[in-house]
Amino acid sequence: YDGSAGVNETIPNLAVLDVAGTNDDIVDWVFLSLQDGTTPATRLQTKVGMIQRDGDIVQYDPVGLTYIPVKMPIDADVNYHLVVSHRNHLAIRTPASQLLQDGVTFAYNFTTAQAQAYQNGAILTNPAMKDLGSSRFGLWGGDGTKNGIVNYTPIGNDEAFLKSALGGILSSSASGYLDADFNMSGVVNYTPIGNDEAFLK
């Protein structure tokens, strides 16, 4: 998977979207890439991962008929940077390269601290991740244009993308899994309160 289109990941049945008594429901997907440990801009491996409600990123195992940690095809047991991208959020990567080894499960939690994601010193307008409160951090939402910037102005911005998704009719709405659904409510709308336009501000 090269990140240029939608995801075609296996969902064996709709029950995985609502797993009773657990936080293992599949709620979304992300694009994962391993970057060179020395030159982080160099992409080496890519894969799609399914997100569970508790934040675990997994893949479906057709043999065991369950979800397991994502298996990345590494070239060697060396250090890599891990990048996590989402369809309408800003991507993040590890601040330092991490050792990945064949047959060894690697766990990394971006959510526990701002320092868990790389902070580009050239960008002083915002930290790498959004502070969600309660000592939790997550991806910045609102990048509908997929240009790596969340912005309200000028031309070609995410606010214009939102308007376009509604056909320019700002009192309308659209339901579904849509890139303009910045607040992840399942509905794209410009008005009323709690809408996607307000999310961008």
Side-chain angles (χ1 to χ4, degrees):
Y1 181 76
D2 64 3
S4 62
V7 62
N8 186 20
E9 178 63 49
T10 301
I11 300 284
N13 57 64
L14 293 180
V16 301
L17 303 177
D18 188 14
V19 182
T22 75
N23 282 318
D24 290 337
D25 314 358
I26 300 298
V27 296
D28 211 336
W29 67 278
V30 288
F31 177 62
L32 305 172
S33 61
L34 293 181
Q35 316 285 106
D36 184 82
T38 305
T39 311
T42 302
R43 181 182 292 168
L44 301 174
Q45 305 287 349
T46 62
K47 190 143 188 185
V48 163
M50 308 304 290
I51 306 174
Q52 294 180 325
R53 187 172 306 281
D54 60 6
D56 294 338
I57 300 175
V58 296
Q59 71 179 49
Y60 183 65
D61 175 20
V63 176
L65 304 178
T66 186
Y67 283 90
I68 60 173
V70 173
K71 294 182 178 181
M72 294 292 284
I74 60 175
D75 295 324
D77 293 359
V78 296
N79 284 19
Y80 299 86
H81 285 279
L82 171 65
V83 174
V84 179
S85 305
H86 183 265
R87 65 189 173 92
N88 62 6
H89 286 60
L90 298 180
I92 53 174
R93 78 164 167 84
T94 52
S97 59
Q98 308 290 316
L99 176 62
L100 270 66
Q101 299 171 284
D102 186 36
V104 178
T105 300
F106 165 76
Y108 192 87
N109 191 344
F110 282 101
T111 70
T112 58
Q114 189 66 251
Q116 290 293 95
Y118 169 70
Q119 178 67 55
N120 186 341
I123 300 175
L124 303 175
T125 56
N126 60 269
M129 293 187 289
K130 168 76 173 163
D131 186 341
L132 303 173
S134 302
S135 299
R136 288 284 182 246
F137 299 85
L139 304 179
W140 287 99
D143 186 18
T145 60
K146 297 178 178 54
N147 65 356
I149 301 169
V150 175
N151 62 355
Y152 198 89
T153 55
I155 295 171
N157 60 67
D158 298 296
E159 191 256 352
F161 178 85
L162 173 59
K163 286 180 177 179
S164 177
L166 295 172
I169 304 170
L170 305 187
S171 60
S172 68
S173 65
S175 298
Y177 189 73
L178 304 169
D179 288 347
D181 181 13
F182 301 143
N183 64 9
M184 308 294 285
S185 67
V187 178
V188 175
N189 56 0
Y190 201 90
T191 56
I193 294 170
N195 60 65
D196 298 291
E197 187 266 346
F199 181 87
L200 283 176
K201 291 180 175 179

